[in-house]
Amino acid sequence: MEGSSESGWERSDNSQFPGRNPRILRFSSDNTSHDSGLMSVRKGRERPYRTQPPADAAECNDVSLRQWLDNPERSVEPLECLHIFSQIVDVVNVAHLQGIVVHNVRPSCFIMSSYNRVSFIESASCSDSGSDSPEYGATDSHSRRNPAASQINSETSCLQSGSGHAPEAAGDKNQSFPMKQILQMESNWYTTPEEASGGSASCASDIYQLGVLLFELFCTFGSLEEKSATMASLRHRVLPPQLLLKWPKEASFCLWLLHPEPSSRPKMSDVLQSEFLNEPRNDIEEREAAVELREKIEDQELLLEFLLILQQRKQDIAESLNATISFISSDIDEVAKLQTSLKMKGGPTLEFGKTMNVAEDDDSGSSGSRKRIRQGLDSAHPDESDDHQKSELPGGQPGSILSKNARLMKNFRKLESAYFLTRRRAAKPAQRPLARHSQVSSGGRGSILATERSSISNPSSRDEQKQSGWISTFLEGLCKYLSFSKLKVKADLKQGDLLNSSNLVCSLSFDRDGEFFASAGVNKKIKVFEYNSILNENRDIHYPVVEMASRSKLSSICWNSYIKSQIASSNFEGVVQVWDVTRSQSFLEMREHERRVWSVDFSVADPTMLASGSDDGSVKLWNINQGVSVGTIKTKANVCCVQFPTDSGRTLAFGSADHRIYYYDLRNSKMPLCTLIGHNKTVSYVKFIDSTTLVSASTDNTIKLWDLSMCTSRVLDCPLQSFTGHLNVKNFVGLSVSDGYIATGSETNEVFVYHKAFPMPALSFKFNNTDPLSGDEVDDAAQFISSVCWRGQCSSTLVAANSMGNIKLLEMA
C-alpha cells in the first residue's frame, strides 16, 4: 500500500508529501542529520517510537486515544500522561524535521496499545467532520483538500469492527460520551485561531494542537456538557482552577503552547529542550524499559500459548490416530481368527499357495501382505491383456490376485474411506426399523424365536455376530468390487434403421427368464429380441422377433415378472398400455393421466398391479384385470420414476422433479411413509436393491444409496453412500441393479458399474459409435447412454443403449 496514495499531512509550503502511507507515520532512515541537535539535548530519547499499522489494532486490543481520554473511570497519572505526550511529541517532531505539517494532532488520530504504545493513524475520522454519520467515515473540507483521506476509510475499518475497544463501540455501557458527538466537537476544539480566521495551517498549528491534547490528558470530566464548556473556555486560554492548583507546571506549559499568536508559540526544538519534558526523563525512560520488558513477557506468553494449543491439537490427533490403529489391529486379529477357523474347517486337504499364506504373528503377517501387494504393483501393467494375466495363474483361476492388488492400491484412498464408513455404521447402535407391512410368515417368526433362544443360551454369540458383521459386509463389497476387471462386449446389436435420426432408446427390459429383451424409444416402436440368437448369430442386421408400433413416442417399458407375454409401456401422450407379445398387439389402454408418463413398473409380488408416474404430478395404481386405476397419489411436482420393492405390492417409491424421493404405504396414500432428501436436482430413477435398500439417480450428477430402515421420523436426509464418477447433468441415462451392482449411463457415452459398498466406479465401458456408411467406429461427444438393464437379479450381463440407438450386450469379466 505504500506509495499508493498521498498523505493527509501537508508540507509547510502547502504541497502534498508524496509516497507516504496515509495510515501511519513512518520514520525515514536518514533522520540522523536532522536529529543531531536533538540527540545532544535529549539523550536516551533518540530512538524513534515504533508505530504499527492499525490493522493490528483488533488483534492487539488497541484502543483509540479519544476513547481512552473519555473513559469516565480514567484517573490522571502524571507519568503515564507524560509518557503518552512524549511519544506524540516525537511523532510531530519527525514530521516537522521533514517539512511536514501533521495538521491532525488530535486524539481520534492516535491509537494506544495495552502498554500505552501510541501510533499515529491518518483516517477519515481525523478530518473535520460535519456529517451526522455515527461512523468514522465522514469527510469534510479537509477531505476535499486531501483526496487520500477518502481512500483510507476501509483501511481504518479495523478500528470500527475490531474488538470491544473499537471507536464505534464507544456508545456502550462503559462509555458515557457518545462518540458521534465527541468527534463532531473535537474538530472545533482542535481548530487553531489562525485556521478559524481563514488562515492556513503551519507547524505552529501543530504546536497549538499539542497544547489542547496536553490539556485533555491532565483533565477529566464527569459529563459531556462540562467537557464542552471547559473546552470552549480553553480557546480563550481560561483553565479550570483545579488544574492550576493541582498541576501548575502542566498548566503553564499548556498556556505556552496555546498562545493565540503563532509566532509567539514555541518551536518544536524549544518543546523538546524544555524542562517540562526533560526533567522527568529518567522516570519516563524507566517506564519505557518496564513497558518493553512487559511486552517481551507478553510476546513469550503468546508464543507459549500457541505452542500449548499446538501441542494439545497434535495430542488429540495422536490419540485419534492411536484409537484408529487400535481398532484396525483388533480387526486384523479378528480377520486372522476367522481365516484360521476356515483353514481348520478345510482340513489337511485344503492347500494354500504362497501368496495366500498368513503368518501367525502380526509383523510377519503384515509383511506378507505388503509383499503380495508389492508383487501386484510390480506385475500390473495397463497395457497387458487379461488373457496374458490369466495365463500366469496356476490351475486356470478365473481371476488374477495380482491384478486385484493393483486395482486395490489404485483405489486405496477410496477403499480406506469406505472401510471407515463401514466400521462407523457397525459401531452405531441399532435403530428402530421403519414401520411397514409384516414380511415374516409364521415360519419366519419361529426362526426368529429360535435365533433369540440360541442367543440367550449363548450370550456371547450376539457380540460375536455384531463384531464380525462389518467384516462380512466390507469383505463382500471388496470381493465383488475386485471380482471383475472390465466390461466386454458380448454382442453388438445391428439394426436395419440406423439411418433413422429418431433412434433414441428410452427404455430396456428383460423378461422374467432372461430369454428376451425389449427396447422402446422415440421411434414409437417396441422391439423384442431373443437373447441367445443375438449372441450366437453373426449377422449384418439383427431383426426383432416381435415389433409393436405405438401412436406416440415411448418413454418406458416394463416386462411382467410373472406373465411372460405381458409388457407395459408409457408414452409421451400420457397413455399407459399393456401389450401381449405373443399377439404383437396392445390389449389394454388406460388414458387417465393428463400429461406425459415417464415411468411404469409391474409389482413382482402382485403381477396384476401396475404403477405409473406422470408430468401431471400424479402416481396412478392400475389393476390390469380391471383396466382402470385403483388408486392415485397426488404430488406438487412432476413424477419421473416409480418402483415397487421386490417383495411387496403394498409399498411404492417414486422420484420427483422437486429433488425428493417418496416412499408410500399404499394402504395410506395420504402421507408418505418416508421422504428421502439429499439430491439437488430432479430424481430420474429409483430402484430397490432389497426390501429396505433403495438406490436413486439424479441429474445432479450423483447416485445415492438409502437405507429405509433408518427412517425414524418420516424424513431421511442422510444416504448411506453417494456414487460419483459418471456425468449426468441433463439427460436420463438409465439405472439398473443386480446383486449389489449398480449400472448407469453417462453423458460421456459410457456405461459405469458401481458396487453398493464403494462410492467409486468398479467398471466402465465407452461406446464408440459406428458410422452406418463406412462401418468405422467414431467418437461423438454429443451422444450419451440413454438406458441400461441387467439380464437378471444375479446376472453379470447387461444390455445398454445410447442416444444413437446403438445397443450392446455387455458382460463383466
Side-chain angles (χ1 to χ4, degrees), residues 34-106:
H34 299 285
D35 292 342
S36 57
L38 171 66
M39 299 300 179
S40 59
V41 177
R42 301 189 64 200
K43 185 179 181 182
R45 295 187 59 193
E46 66 276 7
R47 180 183 61 81
Y49 179 68
R50 295 174 295 119
T51 58
Q52 298 295 332
D56 299 331
E59 299 177 6
C60 303
N61 293 326
D62 288 354
V63 63
S64 166
L65 181 58
R66 166 55 58 202
Q67 282 186 278
W68 184 83
L69 287 172
D70 293 336
N71 184 359
E73 299 178 359
R74 183 177 76 90
S75 60
V76 177
E77 296 183 11
L79 192 59
E80 181 182 40
C81 293
L82 284 174
H83 181 218
I84 294 170
F85 184 72
S86 176
Q87 294 177 74
I88 296 174
V89 168
D90 283 343
V91 171
V92 176
N93 176 57
V94 171
H96 286 189
L97 288 174
Q98 300 183 41
I100 301 171
V101 178
V102 178
H103 189 277
N104 287 320
V105 187
R106 300 187 292 181

Side-chain angles (χ1 to χ4, degrees), residues 492-507:
D492 197 342
L493 192 64
K494 301 171 184 177
Q495 302 185 62
D497 56 354
L498 282 176
L499 294 177
N500 188 344
S501 60
S502 301
N503 274 326
L504 173 66
V505 176
C506 297
S507 185

Side-chain angles (χ1 to χ4, degrees), residues 576 590 592-593 608-610 612 620-624 628-629:
V576 177
M590 296 167 283
E592 295 185 25
H593 281 294
T608 64
M609 182 72 72
L610 179 68
S612 60
K620 288 193 177 290
L621 305 172
W622 313 89
N623 188 303
I624 61 174
V628 294
S629 65

Side-chain angles (χ1 to χ4, degrees), residues 489-659:
V489 179
K490 294 188 71 175
D492 197 342
L493 192 64
K494 301 171 184 177
Q495 302 185 62
D497 56 354
L498 282 176
L499 294 177
N500 188 344
S501 60
S502 301
N503 274 326
L504 173 66
V505 176
C506 297
S507 185
L508 295 165
S509 181
F510 270 98
D511 75 338
R512 69 180 186 188
D513 301 319
E515 295 178 357
F516 299 92
F517 67 90
S519 68
V522 299
N523 62 2
K524 306 179 184 180
K525 297 176 183 178
I526 299 175
K527 298 181 180 182
V528 179
F529 298 91
E530 187 179 5
Y531 175 77
N532 287 329
S533 65
I534 299 296
L535 292 183
N536 299 329
E537 297 179 7
N538 186 15
R539 297 182 178 179
D540 293 334
I541 297 178
H542 294 97
Y543 291 98
V545 293
V546 173
E547 184 172 298
M548 299 173 288
S550 172
R551 289 187 297 272
S552 176
K553 297 176 181 179
L554 296 164
S555 56
S556 176
I557 56 173
C558 180
W559 218 301
N560 193 314
S561 61
Y562 182 76
I563 306 172
K564 190 178 178 70
S565 62
Q566 287 184 1
I567 294 179
S569 71
S570 61
N571 66 29
F572 282 35
E573 293 181 354
V575 180
V576 177
Q577 293 175 282
V578 182
W579 305 77
D580 187 338
V581 177
T582 58
R583 298 181 180 179
S584 302
Q585 65 182 18
S586 169
F587 70 88
L588 186 60
E589 190 171 287
M590 296 167 283
R591 295 176 169 269
E592 295 185 25
H593 281 294
E594 298 174 0
R595 297 177 62 186
R596 170 174 47 190
V597 178
W598 278 111
S599 176
V600 289
D601 187 53
F602 270 115
S603 170
V604 176
D606 184 357
T608 64
M609 182 72 72
L610 179 68
S612 60
S614 168
D615 273 343
D616 62 12
S618 70
V619 174
K620 288 193 177 290
L621 305 172
W622 313 89
N623 188 303
I624 61 174
N625 292 332
Q626 299 179 21
V628 294
S629 65
V630 293
T632 301
I633 300 173
K634 292 293 294 182
T635 67
K636 296 181 180 180
N638 307 40
V639 178
C640 301
C641 49
V642 293
Q643 181 77 18
F644 284 103
T646 56
D647 62 336
S648 172
R650 296 178 178 176
T651 55
L652 178 78
F654 61 87
S656 174
D658 65 1
H659 313 168

